[in-house]
Amino acid sequence: CRQLSEFLSVDFCGVQTKDGITDKDSLYDMIEQGLWDRVAPFHDLAQGAGSDVFSDRSAAEASTTADGRGMDQPRMVLSQSGAAVPNRTGWPLVEAAMLVACAGITRFCLDTMNAQFDAAFQTLLDGHFHRPEHLEYSIQQADDQLRLGSLSVTGYFSPNERHKRIEDHFEELRSKLL
């Protein structure tokens, strides 16, 4: 079981995409611009806080006062030197951490699903096309055969993406067999 705080950075899963490991931009792209504007000043603080950000008693108390107020706490406060700095306690920090963690969970789920479908499609290709006579199939014939075999896996990919994967598989098969 994972803790919510594990999803506060891109280091949360190590699921590899086609281009490499998930990067910060792919996590930030999961957050709408308006929400990202609310998160940005607190992002580094939220990451550094770890699971304390969700269990810190002062943050919990500050975000739920008896009169129902608390979520209207200032996002920025003045430091002793008079500079505007992010409010390090209370609702703004918890809100930022929740937004980033939710984006992290979503990115983790999407990357995991993509990796599973990639592996399943490759398994289909390996199972259906592994002998020299299979190289006589056209890309469309191979695609039709795969679609009959597993619509749930092949339906995840666009026709162009399926065709590209089939072509790549046939090239690899040619190099192994011929």
Side-chain angles (χ1 to χ4, degrees):
C1 184
R2 293 181 178 268
Q3 292 185 357
L4 189 58
S5 60
E6 291 181 61
F7 295 95
L8 288 175
S9 75
V10 294
D11 302 325
F12 54 82
C13 65
V15 172
Q16 296 230 349
T17 62
K18 292 176 200 168
D19 304 331
I21 293 182
T22 305
D23 62 359
K24 280 186 176 179
D25 290 338
S26 67
L27 180 60
Y28 299 154
D29 288 344
M30 300 292 296
I31 303 174
E32 290 180 21
Q33 185 59 46
L35 293 177
W36 179 248
D37 292 342
R38 296 171 82 171
V39 168
F42 306 96
H43 184 256
D44 292 338
L45 291 172
Q47 280 188 319
S51 55
D52 291 341
V53 73
F54 300 116
S55 61
D56 182 21
R57 186 175 177 92
S58 64
E61 288 173 357
S63 64
T64 56
T65 59
D67 63 358
R69 301 189 63 198
M71 291 190 191
D72 59 350
Q73 294 172 9
R75 304 187 84 59
M76 304 297 270
V77 293
L78 294 177
S79 70
Q80 291 179 347
S81 65
V85 295
N87 185 352
R88 294 177 177 264
T89 61
W91 177 247
L93 179 58
V94 174
E95 176 190 39
M98 289 296 289
L99 289 169
V100 173
C102 288
I105 290 170
T106 303
R107 181 81 263 161
F108 171 78
C109 292
L110 289 172
D111 288 350
T112 301
M113 283 178 16
N114 286 337
Q116 289 174 339
F117 275 106
D118 285 342
F121 195 84
Q122 188 59 48
T123 300
L124 280 175
L125 287 170
D126 293 341
H128 283 269
F129 308 108
H130 53 275
R131 294 192 303 245
E133 59 267 18
H134 293 148
L135 294 173
E136 297 173 12
Y137 282 86
S138 71
I139 300 300
Q140 188 59 51
Q141 288 171 323
D143 186 38
D144 291 343
Q145 184 174 340
L146 289 175
R147 302 253 320 144
L148 289 173
S150 181
L151 192 58
S152 61
V153 172
T154 58
Y156 184 76
F157 301 98
S158 70
N160 289 340
E161 194 169 358
R162 286 193 314 268
H163 293 176
K164 173 76 172 108
R165 288 169 183 262
I166 293 168
E167 284 177 37
D168 292 347
H169 181 74
F170 280 0
E171 285 301 316
E172 185 180 326
L173 188 59
R174 259 188 211 91
S175 68
K176 285 181 185 176
L177 298 177
L178 304 178

